[in-house]
Amino acid sequence: MIYIDPPYNTGNDFVYRDDFAMKADGYDLEAGNVDELGNRFRKSTDSDGRFHSDWCSMIYERLLIAKTLLTDEGVIFISIDDNEARNLRNICDEVFSENNFVAQMIWEQGRKSMAAQVAVNHEYCLIYCKNKSRFIEFDKLHDNTNWREKKLGLETIYAEYDRLMSLYGSDYPKIEKGIREFYKQLPEDNPAKRQSQYKCVDRNGLYFPGDIAQGTGSGGRFDIIHPVTNLPCKLPKGGWRFGVEKLPQLLEEGRIHFGIDETKVPCLKRYLRETEYEVVSSVFYKDGRGASKRLESLFENVVFDFPKDEDIIKKFVSLVTSYSSNNEGCIILDFFSGSATTAHAVMKLNAEDGGNRKFIMIQLPEETESNSEAYKAGYKNICEIGKERIRRAGKKIKEEAGLEAQNLDTGFRVFKCEDSFMNKVKFAPADLTQGELFSHVSNIKEGTSDLSLLFGCMLDWGVQLSLPLSSFEVAGKTIYNVNDGDLVACFAEDVNEDVITAIADLTPLRVVFRDSCFNDVPLKMNLFELFKQKCGWSEEVVKNRVHVI
């Protein structure tokens, strides 16, 4: 899954050039509104494309890359407001295809506004699949558990039902009467009120009498005998929605709700405990001010203005990654990560359902204002805020979850995009003097750390950067071991045969040394032979697995 909240046309001095409006004279000339002498052909308005063209170009190229990063079953969620909603929909239709459009969700964030005309209290979230048909097939394989969320207010209803059960035992009419009164007394905005159709009770719990007819009109046509009058019940026009062979089981389980006599069409009992999840609605409400208050409480200071709501993003993530008990392999990417709200949401969801989702947050190091509370608190750029939020949020989530979250992984690694750690060593003879030769003995830039070399090699070989990493020493030389042998490396100088033996004992998939490891020329020359002998590798295998940089 990818979630992004791209920058809008707010006019701020922002690292993404958030004010994407072109200068009027430049746009007019490009658009053909004026000639080279400034003579105007068309009237200039605020709705001109100059207010949107650069933004569209910025998001278009990023969405093209985003599409390549998604799996075939992948989904992208994009938060947007009225500034660019229309343009974004058109761009997404082109990049992902309108056939892969899922929905445009509407998040109502508040009830009040000082607007002169209409109070705009909502924003949107556009949802596209990379391949909608593949996602549907994938969902069916996992019992259609995606795109569903738990109904609100269930805990309140169950608590009242349990209270009535303790009072009246198996006197179901009295429990039913109590449940109906309970629903009536609830305020209209109480989420439990939405489940008030579940007001009937039997030995299996709360239920509502659902339609038993076949909507297509081709249902079963046979008699169902009323248990009191012993007469055939009224047959619905469409026929029964199940076959005659299913009837004995339904009757035995008490799943058919009969009226007072046979003149009423019976119903099928739909129990609340069996229907706790429903397809998510495209419109939902959550106060938009809560996220800022929670982040301020987490940092004990105001370090970031207008953060996204971690509970809303958690809701989005849960809609498409709830297909298994541990969500193994699920990666959530946010390449406009800001204060790392998405990371917070992923950790919170993992704590709730025992999941094992991973996140990748990407953010340019936008500097904080020198007079801001964030700067005064020591956060010189947004990335520093994001890192600290993940630390604090992870700690708080574990504390709140208690023993249930003992195995919750809230760790993370931080990488910065840099130039290659390799020096430029390919020169034409005329480009070098005799005196410059010694400065090019090493092909690795001076000051490059062992970890920089290691992670650079992991990138080159496609080894996941999130894999476990350990290290140990042999003969005073540090050996790095990625994921128990996926990649083993040593970058120390003057490596001896003891080090090579220790690495060979791990039976690694990949081995890497740097050229300066070998002061002993014969040892370097015999390196491949040593691994062939100690690991039993063939000539081809050792050349594929052992590398010297």
Side-chain angles (χ1 to χ4, degrees), residues 413 451 454-455 458 466-471 480-483:
R413 287 179 177 150
L451 286 179
L454 177 65
F455 284 112
M458 290 171 69
S466 59
L467 289 175
L469 169 63
S470 61
S471 64
Y480 298 95
N481 186 1
V482 178
N483 200 35

Side-chain angles (χ1 to χ4, degrees), residues 311-370:
D311 290 332
I312 296 300
I313 300 179
K314 183 187 73 171
K315 169 192 177 87
F316 293 158
V317 175
S318 70
L319 291 179
V320 295
T321 65
S322 297
Y323 58 82
S324 66
S325 59
N326 63 2
N327 321 105
E328 196 67 46
C330 286
I331 300 175
I332 292 83
L333 168 67
D334 185 342
F335 52 85
F336 290 112
S337 66
S339 65
T341 304
T342 302
H344 189 164
V346 171
M347 292 189 297
K348 199 170 182 180
L349 184 58
N350 282 343
E352 290 178 6
D353 66 7
N356 191 31
R357 305 167 185 85
K358 298 177 181 178
F359 56 79
I360 300 174
M361 303 290 104
I362 302 174
Q363 176 63 45
L364 293 178
E366 179 194 350
E367 295 181 357
T368 53
E369 296 289 341
S370 58

Side-chain angles (χ1 to χ4, degrees), residues 240-504:
W240 309 113
R241 67 188 314 165
F242 53 86
V244 66
E245 68 282 352
K246 182 76 173 175
L247 178 61
Q249 179 186 346
L250 293 174
L251 289 171
E252 183 181 351
E253 294 175 352
R255 283 185 169 265
I256 295 181
H257 174 93
F258 292 93
I260 57 175
D261 56 44
E262 75 282 356
T263 61
K264 301 292 184 182
V265 176
C267 298
L268 201 61
K269 295 179 182 179
R270 302 191 180 279
Y271 292 96
L272 181 57
R273 290 195 181 276
E274 296 176 348
T275 56
E276 290 185 340
Y277 287 83
E278 59 187 353
V279 177
V280 65
S281 171
S282 63
V283 182
F284 60 94
Y285 171 78
K286 191 174 192 301
D287 193 327
R289 298 167 296 184
S292 294
K293 292 179 180 178
R294 291 192 299 273
L295 186 62
E296 181 180 348
S297 174
L298 187 65
F299 277 85
E300 300 175 342
N301 203 347
V302 179
V303 297
F304 194 87
D305 294 328
F306 310 115
K308 301 305 291 186
D309 192 306
E310 71 275 13
D311 290 332
I312 296 300
I313 300 179
K314 183 187 73 171
K315 169 192 177 87
F316 293 158
V317 175
S318 70
L319 291 179
V320 295
T321 65
S322 297
Y323 58 82
S324 66
S325 59
N326 63 2
N327 321 105
E328 196 67 46
C330 286
I331 300 175
I332 292 83
L333 168 67
D334 185 342
F335 52 85
F336 290 112
S337 66
S339 65
T341 304
T342 302
H344 189 164
V346 171
M347 292 189 297
K348 199 170 182 180
L349 184 58
N350 282 343
E352 290 178 6
D353 66 7
N356 191 31
R357 305 167 185 85
K358 298 177 181 178
F359 56 79
I360 300 174
M361 303 290 104
I362 302 174
Q363 176 63 45
L364 293 178
E366 179 194 350
E367 295 181 357
T368 53
E369 296 289 341
S370 58
N371 60 348
S372 67
E373 293 299 320
Y375 187 91
K376 294 174 185 176
Y379 306 112
K380 306 306 180 187
N381 60 58
I382 290 180
C383 299
E384 297 302 319
I385 297 173
K387 288 187 286 185
E388 184 62 18
R389 179 178 188 170
I390 297 174
R391 296 186 192 102
R392 293 186 181 219
K395 182 181 178 182
K396 183 178 180 182
I397 290 168
K398 280 189 170 183
E399 289 173 351
E400 292 177 346
L403 294 176
E404 295 180 3
Q406 279 187 334
N407 297 324
L408 179 66
D409 185 0
T410 60
F412 64 101
R413 287 179 177 150
V414 180
F415 298 95
K416 297 179 181 179
C417 288
E418 298 283 356
D419 292 334
S420 171
F421 55 79
M422 306 297 286
N423 278 317
K424 182 181 177 183
V425 294
K426 292 184 178 180
F427 297 95
D431 294 335
L432 282 176
T433 66
Q434 186 79 19
E436 291 174 327
L437 290 177
F438 286 103
S439 64
H440 295 286
V441 169
S442 174
N443 61 333
I444 296 173
K445 290 180 179 177
E446 187 176 350
T448 302
S449 68
D450 285 359
L451 286 179
S452 292
L453 289 173
L454 177 65
F455 284 112
C457 293
M458 290 171 69
L459 284 173
D460 287 342
W461 271 326
V463 179
Q464 291 185 23
L465 299 181
S466 59
L467 289 175
L469 169 63
S470 61
S471 64
F472 60 96
E473 286 193 3
V474 173
K477 314 300 180 185
T478 301
I479 298 173
Y480 298 95
N481 186 1
V482 178
N483 200 35
D484 197 21
D486 277 8
L487 187 150
V488 180
C490 182
F491 304 115
E493 294 185 355
D494 199 18
V495 164
N496 58 30
E497 191 169 337
D498 290 340
V499 174
I500 296 173
T501 300
I503 293 175

Side-chain angles (χ1 to χ4, degrees), residues 222-227 229-236 240 256 258-259 261-266:
F222 47 87
D223 288 341
I224 295 181
I225 305 302
H226 194 282
T229 66
N230 289 319
L231 294 173
C233 293
K234 183 177 179 181
L235 180 72
W240 309 113
I256 295 181
F258 292 93
D261 56 44
E262 75 282 356
T263 61
K264 301 292 184 182
V265 176

Side-chain angles (χ1 to χ4, degrees), residues 4-8 55 78-85 88 104 122-126 308:
I4 56 171
D5 177 25
Y8 309 136
W55 188 91
I78 311 172
S79 289
I80 200 73
D81 66 9
D82 283 322
N83 282 294
E84 298 294 350
L88 181 62
Q104 180 168 297
H122 70 276
E123 67 175 49
Y124 309 100
C125 185
L126 283 177
K308 301 305 291 186

Side-chain angles (χ1 to χ4, degrees), residues 22-31 33-35 40 50:
M22 293 173 64
K23 291 185 180 296
D25 52 357
Y27 174 79
D28 284 337
L29 183 60
E30 290 292 326
N33 294 336
V34 298
D35 61 21
R40 179 165 293 280
R50 66 188 178 87

